[in-house]
Every structure is written in structure tokens, then in C-alpha cells.
């Protein structure tokens, strides 16, 4: 057969065949039959080299045109089959009346919920919620807070040091912040009084864990700077916070404490919202406050004049108070969680129950 007749014969066979295929698998086989390594059109193309010189050019053009036509026909038919049978994966055994699988809805983690609640309460008193870096310079975490190298207060922070990916500079060590207090300095550096901020955030200490301690935990830091601020303002703000968080007429207990960056310093506790400060519950020891009647909430005090001077504030003009407490502990109290480690074990059975 001469190449003209052969090309035409192949065309007349291939195109109608392809047009009747109604299944993707059949079309795949069809492609192999015509265009595969041993396909009929592939063979035709191979025979071009042995055609007489004078006809080779014309034959080549015709054979390649046929190949293009068949490819286009295959593509067209595949699109047609796909459009006609969108549910081709369904079989008669599929039961379309079965109810769908329930979609699992997420919810907020109890720690996040507690942070929102704390922030909401302070927001209502005119504080602004801000966040700070979890990897911190030694300067902000310690130095600027009156805790120079060698100061004994460093010991209680059980610091996790970090290496700087840009190269370690021994004069500027980096660490996982051990508290949110470095944000006191950062905020004062950035702003001018009056300042009222609340800083919730993750902190780290190299500690053995137990029911009330975690090496990764959350704190909320409060800072207020203005003219004529006093311990009375601190007490009033925390008193209002306690009543809004726990409800009722909460009492606030101040006891002297020591922090290098506040003077005077205090530890605050709220009277227990479960036993109303009696320490007794159902004829026994109150499980929430362990019978003490008090819930220790935070460290606090008046911002140290040296810290004010360090950021360029005049301590004769400006005073301020700061406080910092643990979020996990409060989340535990609010959700009745006996062991704060449950918050980070990510057992959904527990997290969904609180
Ligand atoms: N940062 C202190 C701590 O983690 C708590 C604190 C904050 C004390 C602010 C005073 C003022 O122990």
C-alpha cells in the first residue's frame, strides 16, 4: 500500500474507534494501540525514513498531521467521558443513604481560654494586651531587671540557655525567657508614660515537673506607669481582677516578698473561691486551696527606681506597679484540673471535658 492510502486508512479506522469509547480505561488502551511504542501510527512514522527521497517530506507532514489528529481526538474523548460520568467511582453497592462521618469541631484550649479571660478583664480596666519574644536576651530577662551576672536571684530561674543561630556572642547570651517580666523593660523603652499593658505569654524553666509545675508554662505580666501611682492602685486593680475572674467578694492578701526589680515587693493571694477562704469543704479540707483558704496568684510590687532610670524615666515624676502570675495555675483552678500537666498531654478525652 502506498503511504497516502495507508495514512488515510489509519485515519478512517482510528477516529471512529476513539469516538465510540465511553470509558477512561478503554481510551488508555486505545492510546497504546495507536500511539504507543509499537502503535500503528508510531510504526507509520518510523517508515518515513525508508520512503523515496522525493516523497519523504510530504509523507512526513501527512503522518505527523495524523498523529496530531489522533492525539486531539483522544483528548477530546477523555474530557467528554469525564464530564458525562462524574460519579463513575460509584458502584451499586454504595449506600447513598448512610449518614456522613461527623466533622470534629475544634475548640479553644483551656490555657488559651484563660489567657483570653485574663486579657478581657484587664482590657476592661484600660490595659492593652501585647506580646513579646520567647527567646530573649540575657539583658532583658535579667540584667535590666537588676539581676546582674552572679546575682543569687538568677539561681531560682533555672534558665534554659539558647545558642544564637547568627553566632554566639559571650557578652550577649540568649535564653528561653524564664518569665514575662523582660517585657516591662521592652515596653518602657518603646513608650512614654502613661503605660498600662498586660502581657500573656509562654515561659520556660529547666525544672522537674509535678502537678503544679511545668518546664513550659504561661505567665501574664501587668505593667502600669503614670504619675502618682501607688501600692493602693496595684491592690485595687488586682482586687477587681480577682472578683471578675472568680466572682463574689474576693479578698486580696498581700505579703512581703522579694524581687530585684520591684521595691517594695509583695506576693498576692486571693481568698479561695471554692470554700470562701474557710479552708473547709464538705466537712474536709478544701481541695482547691489545700485547706489554706488562699490561692497564691502572683508576684508584684512597685517598679524599681533603677529600672525606671535605666529606660530614661525620672523616678521622681513617674511611678508604676508590676505584677506577674501563672496562667496554668489559674486555668487549673477555673476548670477544676488537679494536675496542670494534663493541659499539655493533648489527650482530647481530657481537653474536651473541661
Ligand atoms: N517575674 C516574677 C516571677 O516570675 C514575678 C513578678 C512579676 C514579680 C512582676 C514582680 C513583678 O517570679
Amino acid at each position: 500500500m502506498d503511504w497516502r492510502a495507508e495514512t488515510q486508512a489509519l485515519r478512517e479506522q482510528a477516529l471512529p474507534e476513539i469516538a465510540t469509547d465511553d470509558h477512561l480505561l478503554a481510551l488508555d488502551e486505545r492510546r497504546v494501540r495507536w500511539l504507543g511504542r509499537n502503535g500503528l501510527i508510531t510504526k507509520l512514522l518510523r517508515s518515513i525514513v525508508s520512503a523515496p527521497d522525493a516523497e519523504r517530506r510530504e509523507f512526513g507532514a501527512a503522518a505527523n498531521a495524523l498523529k496530531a489528529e489522533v492525539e486531539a481526538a483522544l483528548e477530546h474523548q477523555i474530557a467528554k467521558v469525564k464530564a458525562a460520568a462524574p460519579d463513575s467511582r460509584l458502584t451499586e453497592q454504595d449506600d447513598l443513604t448512610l449518614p456522613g462521618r461527623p466533622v470534629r469541631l475544634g475548640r479553644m484550649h483551656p490555657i488559651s481560654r484563660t489567657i483570653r479571660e485574663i486579657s478581657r478583664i484587664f482590657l476592661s480596666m484600660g490595659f492593652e494586651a501585647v506580646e513579646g519574644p520567647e527567646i530573649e536576651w540575657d539583658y532583658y530577662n535579667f540584667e535590666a531587671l537588676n539581676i546582674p551576672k552572679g546575682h543569687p536571684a538568677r539561681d531560682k530561674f533555672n534558665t534554659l540557655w539558647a545558642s544564637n543561630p547568627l553566632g554566639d556572642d559571650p557578652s550577649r547570651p540568649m535564653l528561653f525567657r524564664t518569665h514575662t517580666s523582660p517585657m516591662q523593660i521592652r515596653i518602657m523603652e518603646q513608650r512614654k508614660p502613661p503605660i498600662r499593658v498586660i502581657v500573656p505569654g509562654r515561659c520556660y524553666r529547666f525544672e522537674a515537673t509535678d502537678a503544679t509545675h511545668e518546664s513550659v508554662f504561661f505567665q501574664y505580666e501587668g505593667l502600669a506607669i503614670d504619675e502618682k501611682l501607688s501600692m493602693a492602685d496595684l491592690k485595687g486593680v488586682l482586687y477587681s481582677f480577682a472578683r471578675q475572674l472568680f466572682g463574689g467578694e474576693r479578698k486580696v492578701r498581700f505579703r512581703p516578698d522579694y524581687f530585684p526589680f520591684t521595691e517594695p515587693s509583695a506576693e498576692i493571694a486571693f481568698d479561695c473561691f471554692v470554700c470562701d477562704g474557710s479552708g473547709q469543704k464538705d466537712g474536709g479540707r478544701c481541695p482547691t486551696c489545700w485547706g489554706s483558704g488562699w490561692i497564691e496568684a502572683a508576684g508584684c510590687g512597685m517598679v524599681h527606681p533603677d529600672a525606671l532610670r535605666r529606660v530614661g524615666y525620672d523616678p521622681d515624676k513617674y511611678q508604676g506597679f508590676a505584677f506577674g502570675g501563672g496562667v496554668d495555675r489559674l486555668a487549673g483552678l477555673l476548670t477544676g484540673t488537679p494536675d496542670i500537666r494534663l493541659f499539655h498531654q493533648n489527650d482530647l478525652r481530657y481537653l474536651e471535658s473541661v
Side-chain angles (χ1 to χ4, degrees), residues 156-157 178-181 184 205 217 219-222 259 261-262 265-266 298-301 322-325:
K156 78 169 195 177
F157 286 105
T178 59
H179 52 174
T180 42
S181 298
Q184 291 184 26
R205 289 187 199 176
F217 59 101
Q219 284 194 337
Y220 58 98
E221 189 84 9
F259 299 99
F261 41 96
T262 44
S265 301
C300 63
F323 51 88

PDB file of all heavy atoms in Angstrom, residues 156-157 178-181 184 205 217 219-222 259 261-262 265-266 298-301 322-325, ligand 1:
ATOM      1  N   LYS A 156      17.176  30.960  91.016  1.00  0.00           N
ATOM      2  CA  LYS A 156      15.818  30.432  91.138  1.00  0.00           C
ATOM      3  C   LYS A 156      15.109  30.328  89.791  1.00  0.00           C
ATOM      4  O   LYS A 156      14.029  29.765  89.683  1.00  0.00           O
ATOM      5  CB  LYS A 156      15.001  31.255  92.136  1.00  0.00           C
ATOM      6  CG  LYS A 156      14.476  32.569  91.635  1.00  0.00           C
ATOM      7  CD  LYS A 156      13.471  33.153  92.636  1.00  0.00           C
ATOM      8  CE  LYS A 156      12.659  34.257  91.998  1.00  0.00           C
ATOM      9  NZ  LYS A 156      11.640  34.825  92.840  1.00  0.00           N
ATOM     10  N   PHE A 157      15.727  30.872  88.739  1.00  0.00           N
ATOM     11  CA  PHE A 157      15.043  30.844  87.445  1.00  0.00           C
ATOM     12  C   PHE A 157      15.365  29.622  86.587  1.00  0.00           C
ATOM     13  O   PHE A 157      14.758  29.412  85.543  1.00  0.00           O
ATOM     14  CB  PHE A 157      15.318  32.127  86.671  1.00  0.00           C
ATOM     15  CG  PHE A 157      14.572  33.308  87.226  1.00  0.00           C
ATOM     16  CD1 PHE A 157      15.229  34.280  87.964  1.00  0.00           C
ATOM     17  CD2 PHE A 157      13.210  33.438  87.029  1.00  0.00           C
ATOM     18  CE1 PHE A 157      14.530  35.367  88.485  1.00  0.00           C
ATOM     19  CE2 PHE A 157      12.506  34.512  87.545  1.00  0.00           C
ATOM     20  CZ  PHE A 157      13.162  35.478  88.283  1.00  0.00           C
ATOM     21  N   THR A 178      12.497  33.210  81.107  1.00  0.00           N
ATOM     22  CA  THR A 178      12.077  32.484  82.304  1.00  0.00           C
ATOM     23  C   THR A 178      10.848  33.122  82.941  1.00  0.00           C
ATOM     24  O   THR A 178      10.279  32.568  83.873  1.00  0.00           O
ATOM     25  CB  THR A 178      13.210  32.463  83.341  1.00  0.00           C
ATOM     26  OG1 THR A 178      13.542  33.820  83.659  1.00  0.00           O
ATOM     27  CG2 THR A 178      14.442  31.764  82.787  1.00  0.00           C
ATOM     28  N   HIS A 179      10.494  34.311  82.476  1.00  0.00           N
ATOM     29  CA  HIS A 179       9.289  34.995  82.945  1.00  0.00           C
ATOM     30  C   HIS A 179       8.899  36.042  81.903  1.00  0.00           C
ATOM     31  O   HIS A 179       9.647  36.260  80.936  1.00  0.00           O
ATOM     32  CB  HIS A 179       9.484  35.620  84.339  1.00  0.00           C
ATOM     33  CG  HIS A 179      10.694  36.505  84.489  1.00  0.00           C
ATOM     34  ND1 HIS A 179      10.963  37.232  85.614  1.00  0.00           N
ATOM     35  CD2 HIS A 179      11.706  36.797  83.628  1.00  0.00           C
ATOM     36  CE1 HIS A 179      12.081  37.916  85.461  1.00  0.00           C
ATOM     37  NE2 HIS A 179      12.551  37.669  84.278  1.00  0.00           N
ATOM     38  N   THR A 180       7.733  36.663  82.084  1.00  0.00           N
ATOM     39  CA  THR A 180       7.326  37.691  81.119  1.00  0.00           C
ATOM     40  C   THR A 180       7.827  39.074  81.515  1.00  0.00           C
ATOM     41  O   THR A 180       7.632  40.034  80.787  1.00  0.00           O
ATOM     42  CB  THR A 180       5.783  37.706  80.967  1.00  0.00           C
ATOM     43  OG1 THR A 180       5.186  37.577  82.261  1.00  0.00           O
ATOM     44  CG2 THR A 180       5.298  36.568  80.080  1.00  0.00           C
ATOM     45  N   SER A 181       8.521  39.166  82.654  1.00  0.00           N
ATOM     46  CA  SER A 181       8.984  40.482  83.125  1.00  0.00           C
ATOM     47  C   SER A 181       9.921  41.228  82.161  1.00  0.00           C
ATOM     48  O   SER A 181       9.935  42.463  82.189  1.00  0.00           O
ATOM     49  CB  SER A 181       9.653  40.337  84.493  1.00  0.00           C
ATOM     50  OG  SER A 181       8.712  39.861  85.438  1.00  0.00           O
ATOM     51  N   GLN A 184       8.493  44.221  80.635  1.00  0.00           N
ATOM     52  CA  GLN A 184       8.406  45.515  81.340  1.00  0.00           C
ATOM     53  C   GLN A 184       9.408  46.487  80.728  1.00  0.00           C
ATOM     54  O   GLN A 184       9.086  47.632  80.403  1.00  0.00           O
ATOM     55  CB  GLN A 184       8.749  45.347  82.825  1.00  0.00           C
ATOM     56  CG  GLN A 184       7.727  44.577  83.647  1.00  0.00           C
ATOM     57  CD  GLN A 184       8.125  44.571  85.130  1.00  0.00           C
ATOM     58  OE1 GLN A 184       8.818  45.463  85.600  1.00  0.00           O
ATOM     59  NE2 GLN A 184       7.692  43.552  85.846  1.00  0.00           N
ATOM     60  N   ARG A 205      11.349  27.087  82.033  1.00  0.00           N
ATOM     61  CA  ARG A 205      12.360  26.892  83.075  1.00  0.00           C
ATOM     62  C   ARG A 205      12.807  25.454  83.073  1.00  0.00           C
ATOM     63  O   ARG A 205      12.005  24.556  82.793  1.00  0.00           O
ATOM     64  CB  ARG A 205      11.818  27.275  84.454  1.00  0.00           C
ATOM     65  CG  ARG A 205      11.636  28.778  84.585  1.00  0.00           C
ATOM     66  CD  ARG A 205      11.270  29.222  85.979  1.00  0.00           C
ATOM     67  NE  ARG A 205      10.686  30.558  85.906  1.00  0.00           N
ATOM     68  CZ  ARG A 205      10.185  31.222  86.933  1.00  0.00           C
ATOM     69  NH1 ARG A 205      10.202  30.674  88.137  1.00  0.00           N
ATOM     70  NH2 ARG A 205       9.675  32.419  86.778  1.00  0.00           N
ATOM     71  N   PHE A 217       5.423  26.848  80.509  1.00  0.00           N
ATOM     72  CA  PHE A 217       4.213  27.315  81.191  1.00  0.00           C
ATOM     73  C   PHE A 217       3.905  28.734  80.721  1.00  0.00           C
ATOM     74  O   PHE A 217       4.660  29.308  79.931  1.00  0.00           O
ATOM     75  CB  PHE A 217       4.421  27.279  82.713  1.00  0.00           C
ATOM     76  CG  PHE A 217       5.577  28.122  83.180  1.00  0.00           C
ATOM     77  CD1 PHE A 217       5.365  29.380  83.726  1.00  0.00           C
ATOM     78  CD2 PHE A 217       6.884  27.675  83.055  1.00  0.00           C
ATOM     79  CE1 PHE A 217       6.434  30.175  84.141  1.00  0.00           C
ATOM     80  CE2 PHE A 217       7.956  28.466  83.459  1.00  0.00           C
ATOM     81  CZ  PHE A 217       7.726  29.705  84.003  1.00  0.00           C
ATOM     82  N   GLN A 219       2.675  32.789  81.631  1.00  0.00           N
ATOM     83  CA  GLN A 219       2.510  33.836  82.639  1.00  0.00           C
ATOM     84  C   GLN A 219       1.718  34.991  82.041  1.00  0.00           C
ATOM     85  O   GLN A 219       1.581  35.107  80.830  1.00  0.00           O
ATOM     86  CB  GLN A 219       3.877  34.387  83.080  1.00  0.00           C
ATOM     87  CG  GLN A 219       4.646  33.485  84.021  1.00  0.00           C
ATOM     88  CD  GLN A 219       5.816  34.218  84.683  1.00  0.00           C
ATOM     89  OE1 GLN A 219       6.311  35.227  84.163  1.00  0.00           O
ATOM     90  NE2 GLN A 219       6.268  33.714  85.808  1.00  0.00           N
ATOM     91  N   TYR A 220       1.189  35.843  82.914  1.00  0.00           N
ATOM     92  CA  TYR A 220       0.654  37.129  82.464  1.00  0.00           C
ATOM     93  C   TYR A 220       1.355  38.194  83.268  1.00  0.00           C
ATOM     94  O   TYR A 220       1.478  38.095  84.486  1.00  0.00           O
ATOM     95  CB  TYR A 220      -0.872  37.198  82.622  1.00  0.00           C
ATOM     96  CG  TYR A 220      -1.356  36.969  84.034  1.00  0.00           C
ATOM     97  CD1 TYR A 220      -1.677  38.047  84.868  1.00  0.00           C
ATOM     98  CD2 TYR A 220      -1.467  35.686  84.558  1.00  0.00           C
ATOM     99  CE1 TYR A 220      -2.106  37.846  86.174  1.00  0.00           C
ATOM    100  CE2 TYR A 220      -1.885  35.469  85.861  1.00  0.00           C
ATOM    101  CZ  TYR A 220      -2.200  36.550  86.672  1.00  0.00           C
ATOM    102  OH  TYR A 220      -2.599  36.332  87.962  1.00  0.00           O
ATOM    103  N   GLU A 221       1.879  39.179  82.574  1.00  0.00           N
ATOM    104  CA  GLU A 221       2.613  40.264  83.213  1.00  0.00           C
ATOM    105  C   GLU A 221       1.755  41.513  83.121  1.00  0.00           C
ATOM    106  O   GLU A 221       1.135  41.763  82.082  1.00  0.00           O
ATOM    107  CB  GLU A 221       3.924  40.499  82.442  1.00  0.00           C
ATOM    108  CG  GLU A 221       4.890  41.439  83.113  1.00  0.00           C
ATOM    109  CD  GLU A 221       5.735  40.716  84.154  1.00  0.00           C
ATOM    110  OE1 GLU A 221       5.668  39.468  84.201  1.00  0.00           O
ATOM    111  OE2 GLU A 221       6.454  41.397  84.906  1.00  0.00           O
ATOM    112  N   GLY A 222       1.702  42.278  84.179  1.00  0.00           N
ATOM    113  CA  GLY A 222       0.992  43.556  84.114  1.00  0.00           C
ATOM    114  C   GLY A 222       1.967  44.671  84.406  1.00  0.00           C
ATOM    115  O   GLY A 222       2.884  44.514  85.224  1.00  0.00           O
ATOM    116  N   PHE A 259      11.610  40.717  95.026  1.00  0.00           N
ATOM    117  CA  PHE A 259      12.028  40.616  93.629  1.00  0.00           C
ATOM    118  C   PHE A 259      13.001  41.750  93.381  1.00  0.00           C
ATOM    119  O   PHE A 259      12.777  42.861  93.869  1.00  0.00           O
ATOM    120  CB  PHE A 259      10.826  40.738  92.679  1.00  0.00           C
ATOM    121  CG  PHE A 259       9.796  39.660  92.879  1.00  0.00           C
ATOM    122  CD1 PHE A 259       8.653  39.905  93.617  1.00  0.00           C
ATOM    123  CD2 PHE A 259       9.991  38.381  92.352  1.00  0.00           C
ATOM    124  CE1 PHE A 259       7.704  38.908  93.820  1.00  0.00           C
ATOM    125  CE2 PHE A 259       9.048  37.386  92.559  1.00  0.00           C
ATOM    126  CZ  PHE A 259       7.910  37.641  93.290  1.00  0.00           C
ATOM    127  N   PHE A 261      13.491  43.547  90.920  1.00  0.00           N
ATOM    128  CA  PHE A 261      13.051  44.619  90.022  1.00  0.00           C
ATOM    129  C   PHE A 261      11.814  45.349  90.527  1.00  0.00           C
ATOM    130  O   PHE A 261      11.255  46.186  89.815  1.00  0.00           O
ATOM    131  CB  PHE A 261      12.804  44.062  88.614  1.00  0.00           C
ATOM    132  CG  PHE A 261      12.114  42.719  88.598  1.00  0.00           C
ATOM    133  CD1 PHE A 261      10.738  42.628  88.435  1.00  0.00           C
ATOM    134  CD2 PHE A 261      12.851  41.552  88.767  1.00  0.00           C
ATOM    135  CE1 PHE A 261      10.105  41.396  88.415  1.00  0.00           C
ATOM    136  CE2 PHE A 261      12.227  40.303  88.764  1.00  0.00           C
ATOM    137  CZ  PHE A 261      10.855  40.227  88.591  1.00  0.00           C
ATOM    138  N   THR A 262      11.357  45.025  91.734  1.00  0.00           N
ATOM    139  CA  THR A 262      10.273  45.809  92.334  1.00  0.00           C
ATOM    140  C   THR A 262      10.673  46.146  93.766  1.00  0.00           C
ATOM    141  O   THR A 262      11.375  45.391  94.430  1.00  0.00           O
ATOM    142  CB  THR A 262       8.937  45.029  92.349  1.00  0.00           C
ATOM    143  OG1 THR A 262       9.174  43.689  92.774  1.00  0.00           O
ATOM    144  CG2 THR A 262       8.281  45.014  90.985  1.00  0.00           C
ATOM    145  N   SER A 265       8.202  44.808  97.276  1.00  0.00           N
ATOM    146  CA  SER A 265       7.643  43.682  96.530  1.00  0.00           C
ATOM    147  C   SER A 265       6.656  42.930  97.408  1.00  0.00           C
ATOM    148  O   SER A 265       6.748  42.955  98.631  1.00  0.00           O
ATOM    149  CB  SER A 265       8.749  42.707  96.120  1.00  0.00           C
ATOM    150  OG  SER A 265       9.719  43.348  95.326  1.00  0.00           O
ATOM    151  N   ALA A 266       5.729  42.268  96.771  1.00  0.00           N
ATOM    152  CA  ALA A 266       4.735  41.503  97.524  1.00  0.00           C
ATOM    153  C   ALA A 266       4.340  40.249  96.750  1.00  0.00           C
ATOM    154  O   ALA A 266       4.603  40.135  95.544  1.00  0.00           O
ATOM    155  CB  ALA A 266       3.495  42.358  97.790  1.00  0.00           C
ATOM    156  N   ALA A 298       0.259  35.637  92.292  1.00  0.00           N
ATOM    157  CA  ALA A 298       1.270  36.357  91.521  1.00  0.00           C
ATOM    158  C   ALA A 298       2.283  37.041  92.412  1.00  0.00           C
ATOM    159  O   ALA A 298       2.056  37.254  93.602  1.00  0.00           O
ATOM    160  CB  ALA A 298       0.593  37.403  90.634  1.00  0.00           C
ATOM    161  N   GLY A 299       3.413  37.394  91.810  1.00  0.00           N
ATOM    162  CA  GLY A 299       4.379  38.288  92.432  1.00  0.00           C
ATOM    163  C   GLY A 299       4.082  39.691  91.934  1.00  0.00           C
ATOM    164  O   GLY A 299       3.565  39.871  90.838  1.00  0.00           O
ATOM    165  N   CYS A 300       4.402  40.687  92.744  1.00  0.00           N
ATOM    166  CA  CYS A 300       4.101  42.046  92.302  1.00  0.00           C
ATOM    167  C   CYS A 300       4.895  43.061  93.102  1.00  0.00           C
ATOM    168  O   CYS A 300       5.632  42.712  94.038  1.00  0.00           O
ATOM    169  CB  CYS A 300       2.600  42.329  92.455  1.00  0.00           C
ATOM    170  SG  CYS A 300       2.039  42.256  94.168  1.00  0.00           S
ATOM    171  N   GLY A 301       4.732  44.310  92.768  1.00  0.00           N
ATOM    172  CA  GLY A 301       5.405  45.358  93.518  1.00  0.00           C
ATOM    173  C   GLY A 301       5.468  46.645  92.715  1.00  0.00           C
ATOM    174  O   GLY A 301       4.942  46.736  91.615  1.00  0.00           O
ATOM    175  N   ALA A 322       3.936  46.598  88.920  1.00  0.00           N
ATOM    176  CA  ALA A 322       4.014  45.457  88.012  1.00  0.00           C
ATOM    177  C   ALA A 322       3.569  44.223  88.767  1.00  0.00           C
ATOM    178  O   ALA A 322       3.679  44.157  89.991  1.00  0.00           O
ATOM    179  CB  ALA A 322       5.447  45.273  87.505  1.00  0.00           C
ATOM    180  N   PHE A 323       3.031  43.284  88.019  1.00  0.00           N
ATOM    181  CA  PHE A 323       2.691  42.002  88.631  1.00  0.00           C
ATOM    182  C   PHE A 323       2.865  40.916  87.586  1.00  0.00           C
ATOM    183  O   PHE A 323       2.844  41.178  86.380  1.00  0.00           O
ATOM    184  CB  PHE A 323       1.242  41.994  89.162  1.00  0.00           C
ATOM    185  CG  PHE A 323       0.215  42.436  88.157  1.00  0.00           C
ATOM    186  CD1 PHE A 323      -0.367  41.523  87.290  1.00  0.00           C
ATOM    187  CD2 PHE A 323      -0.173  43.767  88.084  1.00  0.00           C
ATOM    188  CE1 PHE A 323      -1.324  41.928  86.357  1.00  0.00           C
ATOM    189  CE2 PHE A 323      -1.115  44.178  87.157  1.00  0.00           C
ATOM    190  CZ  PHE A 323      -1.697  43.264  86.290  1.00  0.00           C
ATOM    191  N   GLY A 324       3.083  39.702  88.058  1.00  0.00           N
ATOM    192  CA  GLY A 324       3.248  38.589  87.124  1.00  0.00           C
ATOM    193  C   GLY A 324       2.805  37.303  87.783  1.00  0.00           C
ATOM    194  O   GLY A 324       3.234  36.976  88.892  1.00  0.00           O
ATOM    195  N   GLY A 325       1.922  36.600  87.117  1.00  0.00           N
ATOM    196  CA  GLY A 325       1.408  35.360  87.696  1.00  0.00           C
ATOM    197  C   GLY A 325       1.316  34.256  86.663  1.00  0.00           C
ATOM    198  O   GLY A 325       1.489  34.484  85.469  1.00  0.00           O
TER     199      GLY A 325
HETATM  200  N1  LIG B   1       8.558  37.679  87.170  1.00  0.00           N
HETATM  201  C1  LIG B   1       8.340  37.256  88.536  1.00  0.00           C
HETATM  202  C2  LIG B   1       8.425  35.710  88.577  1.00  0.00           C
HETATM  203  O1  LIG B   1       8.305  35.072  87.559  1.00  0.00           O
HETATM  204  C3  LIG B   1       7.009  37.717  89.061  1.00  0.00           C
HETATM  205  C4  LIG B   1       6.881  39.205  89.162  1.00  0.00           C
HETATM  206  C5  LIG B   1       6.402  39.969  88.110  1.00  0.00           C
HETATM  207  C6  LIG B   1       7.230  39.870  90.333  1.00  0.00           C
HETATM  208  C7  LIG B   1       6.267  41.343  88.206  1.00  0.00           C
HETATM  209  C8  LIG B   1       7.108  41.230  90.453  1.00  0.00           C
HETATM  210  C9  LIG B   1       6.626  41.960  89.404  1.00  0.00           C
HETATM  211  O2  LIG B   1       8.626  35.130  89.605  1.00  0.00           O
END
